[in-house]
Every structure is written in structure tokens, then in C-alpha cells.
Amino acid sequence: MPFVERTPLIAGNWKMNLDHLQAIALVQKVAWALQDARHDYAATEVAVFPPFTDLRSVQTLLAADKLSLALGAQDLSPHESGAYTGDISAAMLAKLDVAYALVGHSERRGGHGESDETVGLKARAASAAGVVPVICVGETAEDLEQHGAAAIPLAQITAALEHLPRDAEFVVAYEPVWAIGSGQAATPQQAEDVARALRERLRDVRDDERAAATRILYGGSVTSQNIAGFLGQPNVDGALVGGASLKADEFSRIVQFKKHVTAA
Ligand code: PEP
């Protein structure tokens, strides 16, 4: 596989939390904390994924204050436009400078019955509008017991990528479902084992270049205490952070994981 330096990505998934005013306050606090810490956004990319109703306010703040955080959406419609009440299209997101969209988060797969095909079609819709899909995969506790850690994530990414053009950029987020919101994170080695298997699968279903360039994030109870362990793994290129992304100080400490590594 060719050597490609992958820029780490720390992404905060706010889920269904914070109205647009609270969103502005949190982004300002994160930006100030990172400014105080002289954070280098080119060395570690930072993205926030607020609820849809907050996107316009956060976009306006980022543009007005020339902040380098990227904006993400938590979901999108697989359709371009039309009679899809309640849906939000990729083009609408792109118009708000949304750079990333989560697809297939386990809370959507589980709570809204999203199939691998739907996840793949959402990824395709995002990509077609210039929004990079962050394809979430992960096994439940039962899956882990029955099939081991990697089987379900591999099947999910393979199925999703069938719908995405071969040259499309994407990010993979490996999130063991049992680790999300449970306070029980995977070990860095567990995350690395699945991330390595995912990268090998990317090589099989795409090619060496795409496999080497694609960022694979770990998600599931990430904190400032455990982030350095994950990012110290060769195949883990960032984190998708839920609960801890709602606290400005904690999230900014996670973003600065390189300092923890140096200090250790
Ligand atoms: C998530 O929702 O993607 C997530 C990883 O949540 P938490 O960090 O709270 O486990």
C-alpha cells in the first residue's frame, strides 16, 4: 500500500442536543479554547455535527469569524428533491457549506430501520453534491459474541460502497454499538484490529490508493483520557465523539490529542 499521510479528523456528533443559540455558544467556546491552545487545524481537522436546525447559525458564525472548524450534518435524504416530507437533501446541506454528512449511524440503523442499501444511497447522494459521507459501521454486543468484531463492520462497508462511485472520497467511522454512550470504550487494540481489517477491505473493493488515503475514525465513549491510545494506532485516523463533544473544554482537549501523546 502506498504511504499517504492522513490528516486526523476529530468530529463531534452532537446528536439531538442544543438549539441554535446553544450551538453558537458551544462553537464559540470550542474555537476560543483551540485558539488559546494555538491549535493547528491543518495538522488535525476539527468538525462539528449539530442538528439540522443549528446548521445555518453555525455556518454564519464560522464564516463571520473566519473559524477553521468544518461543518457536518448528522443525516441526509438519499433523494435529490421532491415529495419527501421531513427530509433534507444533500444540495441543501452543500449550500450551507456542510463538508461532511454522517450516514448509517447506529442510532439511525437501529432506531429508523436503515438498511445497508439506504446507507449506501445516502452516501451516494452526499457525494454527488460534494459532501463527503462519513460512513458509520459497527457491531452490536450480540454481533460481537456471535461473529467477532470485524465481520459486521466489513459487511456494512462493503454493502454501502456498492452504491458509491469508485472515485468518491469518503470517511469510515468504526463505532462498536456496545461502546456508544456506554462509557465502555473499545481498547485501542480492538479499534486497531477492526480498522486494519476495514482498510484491507477498502483495498479489495477499491484500490491501494483509496485504501491508503481514506480516514478511518474510531467512535464509542471517546474522552480526553483515552483519545491518545486510539490515535496512537497506525490505522486509526481520528475519532467520532458523541457525549464528550458537548463540553467545550473536554472536546478541545480531545482535539489536542497530540499534546497528550507528547506529554506521555
Ligand atoms: C456517537 O454517537 O457517535 C458516539 C460515539 O457517542 P459517544 O461518544 O457518546 O459514545
Side-chain angles (χ1 to χ4, degrees):
M1 220 181 283
F3 176 75
V4 179
E5 184 117 28
R6 295 181 291 270
T7 304
L9 169 63
I10 304 293
N13 173 19
W14 295 2
K15 313 193 189 204
M16 195 173 71
N17 293 293
L18 309 185
D19 63 33
H20 71 289
L21 297 175
Q22 295 167 321
I24 290 170
L26 178 57
V27 171
Q28 275 172 332
K29 280 188 201 153
V30 170
W32 287 332
L34 292 176
Q35 192 183 327
D36 284 351
R38 297 180 188 285
H39 179 66
D40 180 357
Y41 287 89
T44 300
E45 199 182 344
V46 188
V48 290
F49 292 68
F52 287 131
T53 50
D54 299 356
L55 289 174
R56 173 66 174 151
S57 302
V58 175
Q59 178 220 12
T60 304
L61 171 66
L62 296 179
D65 289 4
K66 297 190 174 47
L67 302 177
S68 302
L69 288 95
L71 193 53
Q74 296 176 17
D75 187 33
L76 80 163
S77 174
H79 306 291
E80 256 181 56
S81 65
Y84 301 101
T85 302
D87 277 11
I88 303 289
S89 76
M92 293 169 183
L93 297 175
K95 200 79 179 161
L96 292 174
D97 300 334
V98 166
Y100 297 102
L102 300 182
V103 295
H105 190 282
S106 63
E107 287 153 17
R108 304 244 17 124
R109 290 180 189 264
H112 298 263
E114 287 190 6
S115 65
D116 285 333
E117 187 188 13
T118 302
V119 173
L121 293 173
K122 288 184 171 192
R124 182 166 78 185
S127 183
V131 175
V132 175
V134 178
I135 305 171
C136 304
V137 297
E139 81 288 359
T140 63
E142 297 82 64
D143 293 334
L144 180 63
E145 218 173 273
Q146 284 176 27
H147 312 287
I152 299 296
L154 290 175
Q156 289 173 333
I157 197 66
T158 306
L161 290 179
E162 276 174 22
H163 300 277
L164 200 61
R166 276 192 74 80
D167 59 350
E169 182 189 350
F170 57 91
V171 174
V172 182
Y174 166 55
E175 299 203 299
V177 181
W178 48 268
I180 295 179
S182 66
Q184 191 203 337
T187 65
Q189 191 58 53
Q190 281 174 313
E192 167 62 15
D193 289 347
V194 178
R196 191 183 339 101
L198 284 164
R199 200 173 302 287
E200 276 162 21
R201 180 60 57 93
L202 297 186
R203 193 166 43 182
D204 294 345
V205 298
R206 289 296 190 264
D207 53 33
D208 280 2
E209 281 71 29
R210 179 61 62 193
T214 298
R215 289 175 294 181
I216 300 178
L217 316 183
Y218 166 76
S221 297
V222 167
T223 67
S224 60
Q225 299 300 307
N226 62 24
I227 183 71
F230 294 114
L231 272 292
Q233 303 300 317
N235 285 290
V236 178
D237 310 308
L240 183 54
V241 185
S245 71
L246 297 169
K247 297 174 218 140
D249 288 344
E250 174 66 355
F251 187 58
S252 68
R253 277 194 293 271
I254 292 171
V255 168
Q256 295 170 74
F257 70 89
K258 285 185 179 167
K259 292 187 183 157
H260 315 224
V261 176
T262 315

